[in-house]
Structures are given as C-alpha cells and as structure tokens.
Amino acid sequence: MEFRHLGRSGLKISEITYGNWLTHGSQVENDAATACVRAALDAGITSFDTADVYANTVAESVLGEALKGERRQSLEIFTKVYWPTGPKGPNDTGLSRKHIMESIDGSLTRLQTDYVDLYQAHRYDHATPLEETMQAFADVVRQGKALYIGVSEWTADQIRAGAALAKELGFQLVSNQPQYSALWRVIEAEVVPASEELGLSQIVWSPVAQGVLTGKYLPGQPLPEGSRATDEKGGARTIKTFLDRPNVLERVQQLKPVAQELDLSLAQLAVAWVLQNRNVAAAIIGASRPEQVTENVKAAGVTIPAELMTRIDDILGDAVITDPAETAKSSPASR
C-alpha cells in the first residue's frame, strides 16, 4: 500500500481507501461487511470512509463494530454530515450548528471512537450561512471530536469561500470528496486548480464509475443479476447516468488491451487512472466480497505511462463527462 498526504496537512492516508456507501447495512450482510473490512486491513488499507446517512446511520455502526479491537492510532476514520438521518425532522439535515453538533456525537457513538480523523460536509448547504457552518466545524475541531475538516462535492467558489473562513477561524480545509473517474472528470477544470492553490486534496468516490469501468456490463446484453444496475435501493439510479450514454459500454470494452498491457484488470486500471492525478490523495473502493478488495488494492503504486493515458483519452472520447457545472447540481438548492 502507498500513502499520500491529505492536502497540506501532515496526515497521511492510504491511497486506496475503503468506503461503505450502498453496501454495509443495506446490500451486504454484517458478516460479509466485516470480512471485507478485514480484507482491507490485511491489504494494508488504513483509511475508512463512511457517512451518517449511509443506510440511515447503520453503515457507521457496522464499520465501528468491524474495526473494534484495532489500534485506533493506526487508522484514519472519515465520516460526513449533511443528508437527513433519523426521523428526518426539520433539523435532521443540513449544515446548521444544531445538526453538526448533534451529528458528530451520534457518529462517534456509532463508530465507537472518541474522534474521527476527517469530518466532511457531505454537500454544500444553501439554507445555512456558511459562517455558521464553519464556526461549528471549528468548534468540533477544538473539542477534539475531529482532527481535520473536509467537504464533498463543493464547487471551486464554495471551496474558496469555505477555506477563507476556516483560515479566519484557525483551522484549514484539507480535502474535497468528489465523484471522479475516467468517465466523470467534472472536477478537472475548476475544482482541482482551486484545491491545489488552497492546499486541499481530493478523496474520490466511484473511480470505477459505479461499476461501468469494470467491463462487466456488456453492450447489447442483459444487466448482470445482482449487479448495482439491478439494485432498486439506490444503485440502479446512480449508475443510470453512464448506462444511458451512447457507446459508453462499447468504449469501455476497447480499454481491455490497455489494461492487459499493464497486467491489470479493467477495474484496477480505472482505480489506477484516478491516482495518476497528483491532486488525488485516495480512491475510495467499495466491496460486497473480500476478494473484490484484494483485487482492487493492486492498483496502488501503479504508474500509467503518458502514452497509455493518451490512448485512454482517445478511446473514451466524447463519452467522458467534463462540464464543471455538474458539481453544483449535486447540492440541493434547498433542504
């Protein structure tokens, strides 16, 4: 396993990070989830990402139980706050001081820890003054409940405004967690340059484009049974963006010779691809089976030659989504 600094901070995280969105507490039974976490630890992964909203708080509980007994100082545990949890009352969502201060305590209890290494604003909250949000995060840090603060799916302008307030309040934003893959590159034009300037890293989710870049979805063929595309709990909706685009599946199959040249599977190639971006600190992988973890960590430390990166660009062509406006769409205009 390779490790990278998170932004300009002194914190190092494993460049392959284990995440449990859409798996723990929903798609995967607890025993299988624990087996996946054990496989991640055995592979050298030390960083684990979750959120209070995943399976309506259950994913945090499952991860906390799976990590129980591990040396806390040897782990980096990330979680997030924004989306509705619990009974979903008027104050059970967003980035108000009330919701942040109550949510961090709930997350720590479920994760069975006194602090998280990284606490992230899961989306930008248009309904709360940014000053209120950043002051609450500053207090969470001063109370020792989170060591570092990050954001997720914020635009470049939102990151700039948040970073300026954080500096005034005596802490720093160290990371952004966006969707990023060879097929979804909307952060490259604006978010990455702003992050490099301000000292933030990207911790990217969906490096295999919801599974499309694994090559298991074949052109003109039925969707594989049990795959994310057939999951009505949320997976089918999230993968639809890619499956609905013309020629995507055909282009992905054309990547096989590139993967073979590097002695990688298509999934490993996809994870390795995002790690070529110097602003990416980690790629988040999920798993429903331990062997998926074992396979995906082989992307760590891989260098893809420039000529092969160019060939990947040529193959994917106009199937790639690059519009930076897509980032703003991910944060609801109102709660």
Side-chain angles (χ1 to χ4, degrees):
M1 183 56 58
E2 302 286 334
F3 296 82
R4 302 185 180 191
H5 278 102
L6 190 57
R8 290 193 191 131
S9 78
L11 180 67
K12 285 187 174 181
I13 64 175
S14 54
E15 68 176 17
I16 307 292
T17 291
Y18 182 84
N20 67 355
W21 173 52
L22 290 180
T23 51
H24 295 188
S26 52
Q27 289 182 349
V28 178
E29 296 298 326
N30 288 3
D31 287 349
T34 298
C36 289
V37 170
R38 301 312 310 175
L41 292 165
D42 290 344
I45 291 174
T46 60
S47 304
F48 295 84
D49 180 80
T50 188
D52 56 3
V53 71
Y54 297 165
N56 196 16
T57 73
V58 176
E60 283 186 327
S61 297
V62 173
L63 182 62
E65 192 64 25
L67 291 173
K68 188 165 66 175
E70 292 296 315
R71 181 177 184 269
R72 178 64 183 88
Q73 296 89 334
S74 298
L75 303 173
E76 303 86 45
I77 299 175
F78 316 153
T79 194
K80 312 181 197 74
V81 57
Y82 172 86
W83 296 108
T85 56
K88 303 180 181 180
N91 289 306
D92 290 337
T93 187
L95 297 178
S96 68
R97 180 177 183 84
K98 176 177 174 62
H99 188 53
I100 289 173
M101 303 308 283
E102 292 172 348
S103 294
I104 186 63
D105 288 341
S107 290
L108 295 180
T109 297
R110 291 185 290 271
L111 289 165
Q112 302 184 45
T113 182
D114 295 328
Y115 67 95
V116 290
D117 297 271
L118 180 66
Y119 199 38
Q120 302 160 98
H122 209 160
R123 289 296 185 273
Y124 187 85
D125 185 359
H126 293 279
T128 298
L130 185 58
E131 293 82 359
E132 177 181 340
T133 295
M134 301 311 289
Q135 181 64 67
F137 280 137
D139 291 342
V140 167
V141 171
R142 291 192 180 96
Q143 291 169 7
K145 296 178 180 180
L147 303 185
Y148 299 92
I149 300 297
V151 300
S152 177
E153 295 290 1
W154 282 28
T155 67
D157 287 345
Q158 290 163 355
I159 289 171
R160 289 183 190 281
L165 281 170
K167 187 175 182 180
E168 289 179 16
L169 292 165
F171 73 101
Q172 60 179 335
L173 293 183
V174 298
S175 64
N176 176 49
Q177 187 176 129
Q179 180 178 182
Y180 185 53
S181 71
L183 286 171
W184 185 269
R185 308 185 193 182
V186 304
I187 62 170
E188 291 183 343
E190 298 177 1
V191 168
V192 167
S195 297
E196 289 178 333
E197 173 192 336
L198 297 167
L200 285 77
S201 293
Q202 312 301 314
I203 302 173
V204 305
W205 59 273
S206 196
V208 294
Q210 304 295 313
V212 170
L213 285 168
T214 66
K216 68 181 178 182
Y217 297 99
L218 300 174
Q221 299 297 312
L223 299 173
E225 289 187 18
S227 67
R228 179 164 294 180
T230 62
D231 171 38
E232 296 306 322
K233 295 179 181 179
R237 175 178 49 81
T238 58
I239 200 174
K240 192 174 178 358
T241 299
F242 300 108
L243 294 179
D244 284 353
R245 287 181 71 80
N247 302 319
V248 166
L249 300 185
E250 289 83 357
R251 291 173 186 267
V252 170
Q253 292 304 311
Q254 293 172 30
L255 292 174
K256 284 184 175 178
V258 178
Q260 290 167 356
E261 193 166 333
L262 293 165
D263 196 26
L264 300 173
S265 68
L266 282 176
Q268 292 161 355
L269 176 66
V271 176
W273 186 91
V274 301
L275 292 173
Q276 305 309 297
N277 188 318
R278 65 182 183 178
N279 190 235
V280 171
I284 299 174
I285 64 166
S288 55
R289 303 185 307 276
E291 55 268 27
Q292 291 174 321
V293 178
T294 305
E295 283 301 304
N296 283 334
V297 295
K298 294 176 183 176
V302 170
T303 298
I304 303 177
E307 61 270 21
L308 292 186
M309 291 290 284
T310 299
R311 196 192 306 176
I312 291 169
D313 289 345
D314 292 341
I315 290 170
L316 294 178
D318 59 7
V320 176
I321 300 169
T322 60
D323 185 1
E326 291 293 333
T327 298
K329 294 177 183 178
S330 69
S331 291
S334 60
R335 294 187 206 149

PDB file of all heavy atoms in Angstrom, residues 60-93:
ATOM      1  N   GLU A  60     -22.426   3.296   9.626  1.00  0.00           N
ATOM      2  CA  GLU A  60     -21.435   3.711  10.626  1.00  0.00           C
ATOM      3  C   GLU A  60     -21.326   2.669  11.736  1.00  0.00           C
ATOM      4  O   GLU A  60     -20.219   2.329  12.182  1.00  0.00           O
ATOM      5  CB  GLU A  60     -21.822   5.064  11.233  1.00  0.00           C
ATOM      6  CG  GLU A  60     -21.537   6.251  10.351  1.00  0.00           C
ATOM      7  CD  GLU A  60     -21.808   7.571  11.055  1.00  0.00           C
ATOM      8  OE1 GLU A  60     -22.738   7.634  11.893  1.00  0.00           O
ATOM      9  OE2 GLU A  60     -21.098   8.546  10.776  1.00  0.00           O
ATOM     10  N   SER A  61     -22.449   2.169  12.187  1.00  0.00           N
ATOM     11  CA  SER A  61     -22.443   1.175  13.262  1.00  0.00           C
ATOM     12  C   SER A  61     -21.725  -0.098  12.834  1.00  0.00           C
ATOM     13  O   SER A  61     -20.947  -0.684  13.603  1.00  0.00           O
ATOM     14  CB  SER A  61     -23.876   0.852  13.693  1.00  0.00           C
ATOM     15  OG  SER A  61     -24.526   1.984  14.221  1.00  0.00           O
ATOM     16  N   VAL A  62     -21.986  -0.534  11.605  1.00  0.00           N
ATOM     17  CA  VAL A  62     -21.348  -1.748  11.095  1.00  0.00           C
ATOM     18  C   VAL A  62     -19.835  -1.552  11.010  1.00  0.00           C
ATOM     19  O   VAL A  62     -19.046  -2.431  11.389  1.00  0.00           O
ATOM     20  CB  VAL A  62     -21.925  -2.131   9.720  1.00  0.00           C
ATOM     21  CG1 VAL A  62     -21.147  -3.296   9.104  1.00  0.00           C
ATOM     22  CG2 VAL A  62     -23.398  -2.507   9.854  1.00  0.00           C
ATOM     23  N   LEU A  63     -19.402  -0.384  10.516  1.00  0.00           N
ATOM     24  CA  LEU A  63     -17.967  -0.124  10.413  1.00  0.00           C
ATOM     25  C   LEU A  63     -17.328  -0.046  11.793  1.00  0.00           C
ATOM     26  O   LEU A  63     -16.239  -0.596  12.015  1.00  0.00           O
ATOM     27  CB  LEU A  63     -17.722   1.181   9.647  1.00  0.00           C
ATOM     28  CG  LEU A  63     -16.256   1.556   9.426  1.00  0.00           C
ATOM     29  CD1 LEU A  63     -15.534   0.493   8.591  1.00  0.00           C
ATOM     30  CD2 LEU A  63     -16.130   2.923   8.762  1.00  0.00           C
ATOM     31  N   GLY A  64     -17.994   0.621  12.724  1.00  0.00           N
ATOM     32  CA  GLY A  64     -17.457   0.707  14.074  1.00  0.00           C
ATOM     33  C   GLY A  64     -17.258  -0.656  14.708  1.00  0.00           C
ATOM     34  O   GLY A  64     -16.241  -0.923  15.353  1.00  0.00           O
ATOM     35  N   GLU A  65     -18.223  -1.544  14.503  1.00  0.00           N
ATOM     36  CA  GLU A  65     -18.118  -2.899  15.059  1.00  0.00           C
ATOM     37  C   GLU A  65     -17.006  -3.681  14.365  1.00  0.00           C
ATOM     38  O   GLU A  65     -16.257  -4.427  15.010  1.00  0.00           O
ATOM     39  CB  GLU A  65     -19.457  -3.617  14.893  1.00  0.00           C
ATOM     40  CG  GLU A  65     -19.579  -4.918  15.667  1.00  0.00           C
ATOM     41  CD  GLU A  65     -19.516  -4.751  17.171  1.00  0.00           C
ATOM     42  OE1 GLU A  65     -19.856  -3.641  17.672  1.00  0.00           O
ATOM     43  OE2 GLU A  65     -19.101  -5.706  17.851  1.00  0.00           O
ATOM     44  N   ALA A  66     -16.874  -3.500  13.056  1.00  0.00           N
ATOM     45  CA  ALA A  66     -15.859  -4.236  12.299  1.00  0.00           C
ATOM     46  C   ALA A  66     -14.440  -3.814  12.674  1.00  0.00           C
ATOM     47  O   ALA A  66     -13.501  -4.622  12.605  1.00  0.00           O
ATOM     48  CB  ALA A  66     -16.079  -4.043  10.803  1.00  0.00           C
ATOM     49  N   LEU A  67     -14.282  -2.548  13.066  1.00  0.00           N
ATOM     50  CA  LEU A  67     -12.950  -2.041  13.407  1.00  0.00           C
ATOM     51  C   LEU A  67     -12.637  -2.166  14.901  1.00  0.00           C
ATOM     52  O   LEU A  67     -11.526  -1.849  15.326  1.00  0.00           O
ATOM     53  CB  LEU A  67     -12.823  -0.575  12.988  1.00  0.00           C
ATOM     54  CG  LEU A  67     -12.790  -0.298  11.482  1.00  0.00           C
ATOM     55  CD1 LEU A  67     -12.825   1.206  11.214  1.00  0.00           C
ATOM     56  CD2 LEU A  67     -11.552  -0.927  10.840  1.00  0.00           C
ATOM     57  N   LYS A  68     -13.608  -2.619  15.686  1.00  0.00           N
ATOM     58  CA  LYS A  68     -13.411  -2.732  17.135  1.00  0.00           C
ATOM     59  C   LYS A  68     -12.230  -3.652  17.442  1.00  0.00           C
ATOM     60  O   LYS A  68     -12.101  -4.727  16.867  1.00  0.00           O
ATOM     61  CB  LYS A  68     -14.678  -3.259  17.798  1.00  0.00           C
ATOM     62  CG  LYS A  68     -14.629  -3.214  19.318  1.00  0.00           C
ATOM     63  CD  LYS A  68     -16.001  -3.403  19.925  1.00  0.00           C
ATOM     64  CE  LYS A  68     -16.555  -4.793  19.651  1.00  0.00           C
ATOM     65  NZ  LYS A  68     -17.841  -5.006  20.363  1.00  0.00           N
ATOM     66  N   GLY A  69     -11.369  -3.221  18.307  1.00  0.00           N
ATOM     67  CA  GLY A  69     -10.201  -4.025  18.670  1.00  0.00           C
ATOM     68  C   GLY A  69      -8.945  -3.644  17.913  1.00  0.00           C
ATOM     69  O   GLY A  69      -7.838  -4.036  18.300  1.00  0.00           O
ATOM     70  N   GLU A  70      -9.107  -2.874  16.823  1.00  0.00           N
ATOM     71  CA  GLU A  70      -7.935  -2.398  16.094  1.00  0.00           C
ATOM     72  C   GLU A  70      -7.300  -1.227  16.845  1.00  0.00           C
ATOM     73  O   GLU A  70      -7.984  -0.482  17.549  1.00  0.00           O
ATOM     74  CB  GLU A  70      -8.321  -1.933  14.682  1.00  0.00           C
ATOM     75  CG  GLU A  70      -8.777  -3.043  13.763  1.00  0.00           C
ATOM     76  CD  GLU A  70      -7.671  -4.046  13.478  1.00  0.00           C
ATOM     77  OE1 GLU A  70      -6.530  -3.620  13.194  1.00  0.00           O
ATOM     78  OE2 GLU A  70      -7.954  -5.260  13.536  1.00  0.00           O
ATOM     79  N   ARG A  71      -5.993  -1.060  16.698  1.00  0.00           N
ATOM     80  CA  ARG A  71      -5.306   0.068  17.315  1.00  0.00           C
ATOM     81  C   ARG A  71      -5.809   1.353  16.662  1.00  0.00           C
ATOM     82  O   ARG A  71      -5.603   1.570  15.479  1.00  0.00           O
ATOM     83  CB  ARG A  71      -3.793  -0.067  17.137  1.00  0.00           C
ATOM     84  CG  ARG A  71      -2.975   1.052  17.769  1.00  0.00           C
ATOM     85  CD  ARG A  71      -1.481   0.795  17.615  1.00  0.00           C
ATOM     86  NE  ARG A  71      -0.698   1.813  18.294  1.00  0.00           N
ATOM     87  CZ  ARG A  71      -0.258   2.935  17.722  1.00  0.00           C
ATOM     88  NH1 ARG A  71      -0.533   3.178  16.450  1.00  0.00           N
ATOM     89  NH2 ARG A  71       0.452   3.823  18.411  1.00  0.00           N
ATOM     90  N   ARG A  72      -6.479   2.198  17.443  1.00  0.00           N
ATOM     91  CA  ARG A  72      -7.125   3.390  16.875  1.00  0.00           C
ATOM     92  C   ARG A  72      -6.116   4.304  16.190  1.00  0.00           C
ATOM     93  O   ARG A  72      -6.396   4.887  15.137  1.00  0.00           O
ATOM     94  CB  ARG A  72      -7.870   4.147  17.991  1.00  0.00           C
ATOM     95  CG  ARG A  72      -8.556   5.440  17.510  1.00  0.00           C
ATOM     96  CD  ARG A  72      -9.642   5.124  16.499  1.00  0.00           C
ATOM     97  NE  ARG A  72     -10.262   6.343  15.964  1.00  0.00           N
ATOM     98  CZ  ARG A  72      -9.813   7.012  14.908  1.00  0.00           C
ATOM     99  NH1 ARG A  72      -8.719   6.586  14.255  1.00  0.00           N
ATOM    100  NH2 ARG A  72     -10.431   8.085  14.474  1.00  0.00           N
ATOM    101  N   GLN A  73      -4.930   4.444  16.781  1.00  0.00           N
ATOM    102  CA  GLN A  73      -3.934   5.361  16.227  1.00  0.00           C
ATOM    103  C   GLN A  73      -3.421   4.918  14.862  1.00  0.00           C
ATOM    104  O   GLN A  73      -2.819   5.715  14.129  1.00  0.00           O
ATOM    105  CB  GLN A  73      -2.752   5.508  17.194  1.00  0.00           C
ATOM    106  CG  GLN A  73      -3.104   6.143  18.529  1.00  0.00           C
ATOM    107  CD  GLN A  73      -3.534   5.132  19.570  1.00  0.00           C
ATOM    108  OE1 GLN A  73      -4.034   4.053  19.240  1.00  0.00           O
ATOM    109  NE2 GLN A  73      -3.339   5.465  20.838  1.00  0.00           N
ATOM    110  N   SER A  74      -3.659   3.666  14.505  1.00  0.00           N
ATOM    111  CA  SER A  74      -3.195   3.136  13.218  1.00  0.00           C
ATOM    112  C   SER A  74      -4.237   3.260  12.119  1.00  0.00           C
ATOM    113  O   SER A  74      -4.016   2.798  11.000  1.00  0.00           O
ATOM    114  CB  SER A  74      -2.793   1.663  13.377  1.00  0.00           C
ATOM    115  OG  SER A  74      -1.719   1.541  14.302  1.00  0.00           O
ATOM    116  N   LEU A  75      -5.379   3.874  12.442  1.00  0.00           N
ATOM    117  CA  LEU A  75      -6.468   4.011  11.476  1.00  0.00           C
ATOM    118  C   LEU A  75      -6.767   5.476  11.204  1.00  0.00           C
ATOM    119  O   LEU A  75      -6.508   6.342  12.047  1.00  0.00           O
ATOM    120  CB  LEU A  75      -7.745   3.353  12.020  1.00  0.00           C
ATOM    121  CG  LEU A  75      -7.671   1.877  12.401  1.00  0.00           C
ATOM    122  CD1 LEU A  75      -8.978   1.467  13.077  1.00  0.00           C
ATOM    123  CD2 LEU A  75      -7.396   1.014  11.181  1.00  0.00           C
ATOM    124  N   GLU A  76      -7.312   5.737  10.020  1.00  0.00           N
ATOM    125  CA  GLU A  76      -7.860   7.046   9.693  1.00  0.00           C
ATOM    126  C   GLU A  76      -9.333   6.820   9.344  1.00  0.00           C
ATOM    127  O   GLU A  76      -9.627   6.175   8.345  1.00  0.00           O
ATOM    128  CB  GLU A  76      -7.128   7.692   8.510  1.00  0.00           C
ATOM    129  CG  GLU A  76      -5.634   7.861   8.712  1.00  0.00           C
ATOM    130  CD  GLU A  76      -4.856   6.613   8.313  1.00  0.00           C
ATOM    131  OE1 GLU A  76      -5.148   6.057   7.241  1.00  0.00           O
ATOM    132  OE2 GLU A  76      -3.971   6.182   9.097  1.00  0.00           O
ATOM    133  N   ILE A  77     -10.213   7.337  10.181  1.00  0.00           N
ATOM    134  CA  ILE A  77     -11.649   7.121  10.012  1.00  0.00           C
ATOM    135  C   ILE A  77     -12.300   8.431   9.587  1.00  0.00           C
ATOM    136  O   ILE A  77     -12.134   9.466  10.234  1.00  0.00           O
ATOM    137  CB  ILE A  77     -12.287   6.598  11.312  1.00  0.00           C
ATOM    138  CG1 ILE A  77     -11.652   5.253  11.698  1.00  0.00           C
ATOM    139  CG2 ILE A  77     -13.791   6.448  11.146  1.00  0.00           C
ATOM    140  CD1 ILE A  77     -12.129   4.697  13.029  1.00  0.00           C
ATOM    141  N   PHE A  78     -13.031   8.379   8.472  1.00  0.00           N
ATOM    142  CA  PHE A  78     -13.707   9.556   7.920  1.00  0.00           C
ATOM    143  C   PHE A  78     -15.218   9.348   7.983  1.00  0.00           C
ATOM    144  O   PHE A  78     -15.710   8.259   7.702  1.00  0.00           O
ATOM    145  CB  PHE A  78     -13.357   9.769   6.434  1.00  0.00           C
ATOM    146  CG  PHE A  78     -11.910   9.621   6.068  1.00  0.00           C
ATOM    147  CD1 PHE A  78     -11.566   9.236   4.766  1.00  0.00           C
ATOM    148  CD2 PHE A  78     -10.889   9.866   6.972  1.00  0.00           C
ATOM    149  CE1 PHE A  78     -10.244   9.106   4.388  1.00  0.00           C
ATOM    150  CE2 PHE A  78      -9.551   9.729   6.608  1.00  0.00           C
ATOM    151  CZ  PHE A  78      -9.231   9.345   5.304  1.00  0.00           C
ATOM    152  N   THR A  79     -15.945  10.390   8.294  1.00  0.00           N
ATOM    153  CA  THR A  79     -17.388  10.344   8.135  1.00  0.00           C
ATOM    154  C   THR A  79     -17.886  11.713   7.668  1.00  0.00           C
ATOM    155  O   THR A  79     -17.092  12.633   7.469  1.00  0.00           O
ATOM    156  CB  THR A  79     -18.111   9.869   9.412  1.00  0.00           C
ATOM    157  OG1 THR A  79     -19.464   9.530   9.082  1.00  0.00           O
ATOM    158  CG2 THR A  79     -18.094  10.912  10.514  1.00  0.00           C
ATOM    159  N   LYS A  80     -19.196  11.831   7.476  1.00  0.00           N
ATOM    160  CA  LYS A  80     -19.749  13.035   6.856  1.00  0.00           C
ATOM    161  C   LYS A  80     -21.071  13.424   7.514  1.00  0.00           C
ATOM    162  O   LYS A  80     -21.724  12.596   8.162  1.00  0.00           O
ATOM    163  CB  LYS A  80     -19.999  12.794   5.361  1.00  0.00           C
ATOM    164  CG  LYS A  80     -18.843  12.167   4.606  1.00  0.00           C
ATOM    165  CD  LYS A  80     -19.182  11.989   3.133  1.00  0.00           C
ATOM    166  CE  LYS A  80     -18.247  11.018   2.458  1.00  0.00           C
ATOM    167  NZ  LYS A  80     -18.511   9.611   2.840  1.00  0.00           N
ATOM    168  N   VAL A  81     -21.452  14.680   7.268  1.00  0.00           N
ATOM    169  CA  VAL A  81     -22.713  15.209   7.784  1.00  0.00           C
ATOM    170  C   VAL A  81     -23.352  16.085   6.711  1.00  0.00           C
ATOM    171  O   VAL A  81     -22.684  16.806   6.002  1.00  0.00           O
ATOM    172  CB  VAL A  81     -22.488  16.033   9.072  1.00  0.00           C
ATOM    173  CG1 VAL A  81     -21.499  17.179   8.842  1.00  0.00           C
ATOM    174  CG2 VAL A  81     -23.799  16.577   9.632  1.00  0.00           C
ATOM    175  N   TYR A  82     -24.628  15.993   6.558  1.00  0.00           N
ATOM    176  CA  TYR A  82     -25.480  16.877   5.753  1.00  0.00           C
ATOM    177  C   TYR A  82     -26.851  16.245   5.544  1.00  0.00           C
ATOM    178  O   TYR A  82     -27.858  16.803   5.909  1.00  0.00           O
ATOM    179  CB  TYR A  82     -24.885  17.214   4.374  1.00  0.00           C
ATOM    180  CG  TYR A  82     -25.894  17.977   3.513  1.00  0.00           C
ATOM    181  CD1 TYR A  82     -25.996  19.364   3.608  1.00  0.00           C
ATOM    182  CD2 TYR A  82     -26.785  17.315   2.665  1.00  0.00           C
ATOM    183  CE1 TYR A  82     -26.947  20.067   2.863  1.00  0.00           C
ATOM    184  CE2 TYR A  82     -27.739  18.010   1.922  1.00  0.00           C
ATOM    185  CZ  TYR A  82     -27.820  19.375   2.024  1.00  0.00           C
ATOM    186  OH  TYR A  82     -28.755  20.065   1.308  1.00  0.00           O
ATOM    187  N   TRP A  83     -26.888  15.059   4.914  1.00  0.00           N
ATOM    188  CA  TRP A  83     -28.161  14.466   4.488  1.00  0.00           C
ATOM    189  C   TRP A  83     -29.022  14.057   5.678  1.00  0.00           C
ATOM    190  O   TRP A  83     -28.518  13.840   6.786  1.00  0.00           O
ATOM    191  CB  TRP A  83     -27.904  13.263   3.585  1.00  0.00           C
ATOM    192  CG  TRP A  83     -27.228  13.607   2.297  1.00  0.00           C
ATOM    193  CD1 TRP A  83     -25.936  13.335   1.956  1.00  0.00           C
ATOM    194  CD2 TRP A  83     -27.801  14.282   1.170  1.00  0.00           C
ATOM    195  NE1 TRP A  83     -25.670  13.808   0.691  1.00  0.00           N
ATOM    196  CE2 TRP A  83     -26.795  14.392   0.171  1.00  0.00           C
ATOM    197  CE3 TRP A  83     -29.067  14.810   0.897  1.00  0.00           C
ATOM    198  CZ2 TRP A  83     -27.008  15.004  -1.057  1.00  0.00           C
ATOM    199  CZ3 TRP A  83     -29.290  15.418  -0.334  1.00  0.00           C
ATOM    200  CH2 TRP A  83     -28.281  15.516  -1.294  1.00  0.00           C
ATOM    201  N   PRO A  84     -30.327  13.904   5.471  1.00  0.00           N
ATOM    202  CA  PRO A  84     -31.230  13.575   6.576  1.00  0.00           C
ATOM    203  C   PRO A  84     -30.909  12.229   7.216  1.00  0.00           C
ATOM    204  O   PRO A  84     -30.567  11.262   6.535  1.00  0.00           O
ATOM    205  CB  PRO A  84     -32.615  13.526   5.906  1.00  0.00           C
ATOM    206  CG  PRO A  84     -32.469  14.278   4.628  1.00  0.00           C
ATOM    207  CD  PRO A  84     -31.057  14.079   4.199  1.00  0.00           C
ATOM    208  N   THR A  85     -31.037  12.185   8.530  1.00  0.00           N
ATOM    209  CA  THR A  85     -30.913  10.930   9.279  1.00  0.00           C
ATOM    210  C   THR A  85     -32.024  10.873  10.308  1.00  0.00           C
ATOM    211  O   THR A  85     -32.746  11.847  10.524  1.00  0.00           O
ATOM    212  CB  THR A  85     -29.552  10.837  10.004  1.00  0.00           C
ATOM    213  OG1 THR A  85     -29.404  11.994  10.849  1.00  0.00           O
ATOM    214  CG2 THR A  85     -28.399  10.767   9.029  1.00  0.00           C
ATOM    215  N   GLY A  86     -32.160   9.714  10.955  1.00  0.00           N
ATOM    216  CA  GLY A  86     -33.180   9.569  11.986  1.00  0.00           C
ATOM    217  C   GLY A  86     -34.575   9.714  11.410  1.00  0.00           C
ATOM    218  O   GLY A  86     -34.853   9.283  10.290  1.00  0.00           O
ATOM    219  N   PRO A  87     -35.470  10.358  12.146  1.00  0.00           N
ATOM    220  CA  PRO A  87     -36.855  10.526  11.670  1.00  0.00           C
ATOM    221  C   PRO A  87     -36.978  11.590  10.577  1.00  0.00           C
ATOM    222  O   PRO A  87     -38.062  11.823  10.063  1.00  0.00           O
ATOM    223  CB  PRO A  87     -37.610  10.944  12.930  1.00  0.00           C
ATOM    224  CG  PRO A  87     -36.575  11.594  13.791  1.00  0.00           C
ATOM    225  CD  PRO A  87     -35.301  10.855  13.528  1.00  0.00           C
ATOM    226  N   LYS A  88     -35.869  12.240  10.240  1.00  0.00           N
ATOM    227  CA  LYS A  88     -35.825  13.237   9.145  1.00  0.00           C
ATOM    228  C   LYS A  88     -36.727  14.430   9.426  1.00  0.00           C
ATOM    229  O   LYS A  88     -37.476  14.893   8.567  1.00  0.00           O
ATOM    230  CB  LYS A  88     -36.170  12.580   7.807  1.00  0.00           C
ATOM    231  CG  LYS A  88     -35.242  11.410   7.479  1.00  0.00           C
ATOM    232  CD  LYS A  88     -35.565  10.757   6.156  1.00  0.00           C
ATOM    233  CE  LYS A  88     -34.614   9.591   5.898  1.00  0.00           C
ATOM    234  NZ  LYS A  88     -34.884   8.914   4.613  1.00  0.00           N
ATOM    235  N   GLY A  89     -36.602  14.951  10.649  1.00  0.00           N
ATOM    236  CA  GLY A  89     -37.324  16.158  11.026  1.00  0.00           C
ATOM    237  C   GLY A  89     -36.671  17.387  10.415  1.00  0.00           C
ATOM    238  O   GLY A  89     -35.660  17.294   9.704  1.00  0.00           O
ATOM    239  N   PRO A  90     -37.215  18.577  10.671  1.00  0.00           N
ATOM    240  CA  PRO A  90     -36.718  19.804  10.026  1.00  0.00           C
ATOM    241  C   PRO A  90     -35.268  20.132  10.349  1.00  0.00           C
ATOM    242  O   PRO A  90     -34.598  20.808   9.571  1.00  0.00           O
ATOM    243  CB  PRO A  90     -37.666  20.890  10.546  1.00  0.00           C
ATOM    244  CG  PRO A  90     -38.267  20.321  11.793  1.00  0.00           C
ATOM    245  CD  PRO A  90     -38.358  18.849  11.565  1.00  0.00           C
ATOM    246  N   ASN A  91     -34.756  19.664  11.500  1.00  0.00           N
ATOM    247  CA  ASN A  91     -33.367  19.934  11.869  1.00  0.00           C
ATOM    248  C   ASN A  91     -32.474  18.703  11.770  1.00  0.00           C
ATOM    249  O   ASN A  91     -31.342  18.711  12.266  1.00  0.00           O
ATOM    250  CB  ASN A  91     -33.302  20.512  13.284  1.00  0.00           C
ATOM    251  CG  ASN A  91     -33.832  21.933  13.340  1.00  0.00           C
ATOM    252  OD1 ASN A  91     -33.387  22.796  12.593  1.00  0.00           O
ATOM    253  ND2 ASN A  91     -34.798  22.167  14.213  1.00  0.00           N
ATOM    254  N   ASP A  92     -32.985  17.663  11.132  1.00  0.00           N
ATOM    255  CA  ASP A  92     -32.210  16.430  10.984  1.00  0.00           C
ATOM    256  C   ASP A  92     -31.413  16.401   9.686  1.00  0.00           C
ATOM    257  O   ASP A  92     -30.994  15.336   9.223  1.00  0.00           O
ATOM    258  CB  ASP A  92     -33.141  15.210  11.027  1.00  0.00           C
ATOM    259  CG  ASP A  92     -33.718  14.981  12.408  1.00  0.00           C
ATOM    260  OD1 ASP A  92     -33.112  15.444  13.393  1.00  0.00           O
ATOM    261  OD2 ASP A  92     -34.787  14.358  12.504  1.00  0.00           O
ATOM    262  N   THR A  93     -31.201  17.558   9.097  1.00  0.00           N
ATOM    263  CA  THR A  93     -30.473  17.627   7.832  1.00  0.00           C
ATOM    264  C   THR A  93     -29.750  18.966   7.741  1.00  0.00           C
ATOM    265  O   THR A  93     -30.011  19.885   8.519  1.00  0.00           O
ATOM    266  CB  THR A  93     -31.433  17.454   6.637  1.00  0.00           C
ATOM    267  OG1 THR A  93     -30.683  17.373   5.423  1.00  0.00           O
ATOM    268  CG2 THR A  93     -32.409  18.616   6.542  1.00  0.00           C
TER     269      THR A  93
END
